[in-house]
């Protein structure tokens, strides 16, 4: 059973002209943010680091880079490495549910983010001088996306798009009383 008032349509989901215009503006702002985020991601990850060529190595063992980050003598560098990678993934968790209603849900956000980040890390490792593939970066970015989704992305996605009706709802939800 739904709580009282739950059948009311959310403000941005209404059919009025004002609600549609507001929804369009919010989606346009989210799209602009995603393009900006993509540009920032490219700048942060795909810029060559020729001076780091001798220091860089590919990491396919989860946790290896994390241990190296935690073993650094300067706590500031640890926070910068781990926190930066988590923050880099957070926009996916916020923007994906807004832009792609089918990508809503924690599992879907995690899968899409992981796939995108694996692609970014692969390009970074194969093409960009002084950069390498690091599985821990993928894990941290994906964790950031999950946190972004849990904190705000889930709410924003629901505010913009109606809840999905799954096939099993035919048997688990009662029809509204007449």
């Amino acid at each position: 059973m739904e709580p009282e008032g739950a059948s009311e349509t959310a403000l941005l989901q209404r059919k009025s002209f004002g609600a549609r215009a507001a929804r369009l503006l919010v989606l346009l702002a989210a799209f602009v943010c995603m393009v900006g985020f993509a540009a920032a991601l490219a700048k942060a990850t795909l810029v060559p680091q020729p001076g780091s060529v001798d220091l860089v190595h590919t990491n396919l063992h989860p946790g290896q880079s994390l241990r190296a980050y935690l073993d650094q003598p300067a706590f500031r560098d640890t926070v910068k490495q781990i926190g930066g990678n988590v923050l880099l993934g957070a926009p996916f968790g916020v923007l994906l549910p807004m832009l792609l209603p089918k990508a809503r849900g924690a599992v879907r956000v995690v899968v899409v983010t992981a796939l995108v980040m694996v692609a970014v890390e692969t390009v970074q490792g194969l093409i960009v001088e002084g950069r390498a593939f690091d599985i821990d970066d993928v894990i941290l970015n994906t964790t950031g996306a999950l946190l972004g989704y849990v904190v705000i992305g889930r709410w924003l996605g629901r505010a913009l798009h109606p809840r999905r009706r799954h096939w099993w709802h035919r048997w688990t939800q009662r029809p509204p009383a007449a």
Side-chain angles (χ1 to χ4, degrees), residues 37-157:
F37 170 68
L41 179 66
K43 185 169 175 30
T45 59
L46 301 178
V47 173
Q49 301 287 329
S52 302
V53 172
D54 296 334
L55 304 172
V56 175
H57 64 281
T58 298
N59 173 28
L60 299 176
H61 302 287
Q64 185 175 4
S65 291
L66 287 173
R67 279 189 294 282
Y69 297 154
L70 293 171
D71 289 341
Q72 292 182 31
F75 181 70
R76 184 176 171 203
D77 291 338
T78 301
V79 171
K80 184 178 162 186
Q81 286 291 332
I82 294 175
N85 277 311
V86 170
L87 285 176
L88 198 60
F92 270 99
V94 175
L95 296 172
L96 274 177
M98 292 174 66
L99 294 172
L100 302 170
K102 298 254 185 209
R104 281 193 332 216
V107 172
R108 289 180 177 151
V109 166
V110 164
V111 168
V112 170
T113 303
L115 290 173
V116 168
M117 293 306 172
V118 164
V120 167
E121 288 288 324
T122 301
V123 168
Q124 183 176 307
L126 292 175
I127 297 173
V128 183
E129 181 182 11
R131 299 281 190 159
F133 182 93
D134 190 343
I135 193 65
D136 288 333
D137 287 353
V138 173
I139 293 168
L140 291 170
N141 296 152
T142 304
T143 301
L146 181 60
L147 289 173
Y149 174 76
V150 168
V151 171
I152 194 168
R154 180 175 156 176
W155 178 78
L156 289 173

